[in-house]
Amino acid sequence: AQTVTQSQPEMSVQEAETVTLSCTYDTSESNYYLFWYKQPPSRQMILVIRQEAYKQQNATENRFSVNFQKAAKSFSLKISDSQLGDTAMYFCAFMTTGANSKLTFGKGITLSVRP
Amino acid sequence: EPEVTQTPSHQVTQMGQEVILRCVPISNHLYFYWYRQILGQKVEFLVSFYNNEISEKSEIFDDQFSVERPDGSNFTLKIRSTKLEDSAMYFCASREPGPYYGYTFGSGTRLTVV
């Protein structure tokens, strides 16, 4: 079974600064997918960024980028130029490549962006 | 952009009553899911559904729960005889055949059992 660990329950960052959210996972699979989802106070689950395990290049989406270290089973999210709208809960998630794959989530981290 | 639609957004029910949570997945998606999130906690997998049958279910998804895709567009989660501990956000999600794209989640139904 796969597990996803987010050990930091909450973080705070000053507006316009950079913050990194940590995530580790455990799996015996060689190929899989990793995701970060954002959950703002509205409770909607919004996909932030995705990474395919066999791709060595780290994914980037505008101000969001990941540091994917496959050997260490680490998948951290970097948010640059933090904005007040980034205040949310962030979930790291793992998915296998099988047809019946499902998302397994970490416990989440609450990020607060201070003005 | 296509959306997954969930109704109602909030439902209050008395303990012991049955509730049906409704979802309209994205039309060309083939895989459907229900997840649950007790307030402020982890998002937990309940059930996955493909080709008109359950493909996987979690330990949480016991005989109290059932899912249906009655008309080719709606995807429902029924909870029989609700308990206080069923109070949670329930998210429906769907995805395309390739798991790389991840899920598209609905905005959730907040279920409160009193």
Side-chain angles (χ1 to χ4, degrees):
Chain A
Q2 290 77 31
T3 58
V4 179
T5 302
Q6 294 179 256
S7 56
Q8 308 154 302
E10 53 186 79
M11 290 188 75
S12 179
V13 64
Q14 194 75 33
E15 193 176 9
E17 293 189 346
T18 295
V19 63
T20 298
L21 312 182
S22 301
C23 173
T24 59
Y25 58 93
D26 191 24
T27 183
S28 57
E29 302 285 334
S30 58
N31 197 22
Y32 44 86
Y33 305 94
L34 295 162
F35 304 87
W36 279 96
Y37 278 87
K38 171 184 178 181
Q39 187 180 43
S42 66
R43 310 289 279 172
Q44 175 86 40
M45 295 289 286
I46 303 166
L47 178 64
V48 175
I49 199 164
R50 60 173 76 95
Q51 174 82 41
E52 194 159 5
Y54 76 80
K55 290 187 177 177
Q56 293 187 336
Q57 187 173 5
N58 288 322
T60 299
E61 289 284 343
N62 301 313
R63 297 184 295 108
F64 298 88
S65 61
V66 298
N67 183 4
F68 173 49
Q69 302 287 329
K70 191 173 184 179
K73 295 181 181 174
S74 169
F75 182 61
S76 60
L77 174 70
K78 185 170 83 170
I79 306 174
S80 304
D81 186 25
S82 297
Q83 300 175 0
L84 296 179
D86 296 333
T87 293
M89 198 147 183
Y90 287 82
F91 291 93
C92 178
F94 173 100
M95 181 190 284
T96 60
T97 58
N100 290 326
S101 57
K102 66 179 189 291
L103 272 174
T104 299
F105 287 89
K107 288 186 177 180
I109 177 171
T110 300
L111 176 67
S112 301
V113 180
R114 305 186 304 274
Chain B
E1 190 170 327
E3 290 184 344
V4 174
T5 305
Q6 286 188 247
T7 55
S9 57
H10 189 191
Q11 178 143 8
V12 181
T13 189
Q14 290 211 326
M15 192 168 53
Q17 295 295 305
E18 175 182 285
V19 295
I20 297 176
L21 310 184
R22 302 181 192 281
C23 170
V24 180
I26 294 173
S27 60
N28 63 338
H29 286 189
L30 300 179
Y31 297 84
F32 312 112
Y33 305 84
W34 283 100
Y35 278 75
R36 178 180 84 174
Q37 184 185 31
I38 294 172
L39 188 62
Q41 295 186 26
K42 191 175 180 177
V43 181
E44 300 173 295
F45 169 75
L46 290 177
V47 66
S48 58
F49 193 87
Y50 171 71
N51 200 25
N52 288 319
E53 61 182 25
I54 290 174
S55 46
E56 187 174 350
K57 58 184 180 180
S58 71
E59 295 173 349
I60 304 168
F61 195 89
D62 58 21
D63 292 343
Q64 181 194 10
F65 294 89
S66 62
V67 290
E68 260 192 337
R69 191 161 157 79
D71 56 11
S73 60
N74 290 286
F75 179 51
T76 62
L77 174 69
K78 182 189 290 185
I79 310 174
R80 287 181 280 275
S81 189
T82 49
K83 299 177 271 197
L84 294 176
E85 54 264 38
D86 294 327
S87 295
M89 281 290 285
Y90 288 81
F91 291 100
C92 173
S94 67
R95 70 169 176 89
E96 299 179 52
Y100 173 72
Y101 297 99
Y103 296 1
T104 300
F105 282 88
S107 54
T109 293
R110 181 186 299 276
L111 176 66
T112 303
V113 183
V114 297

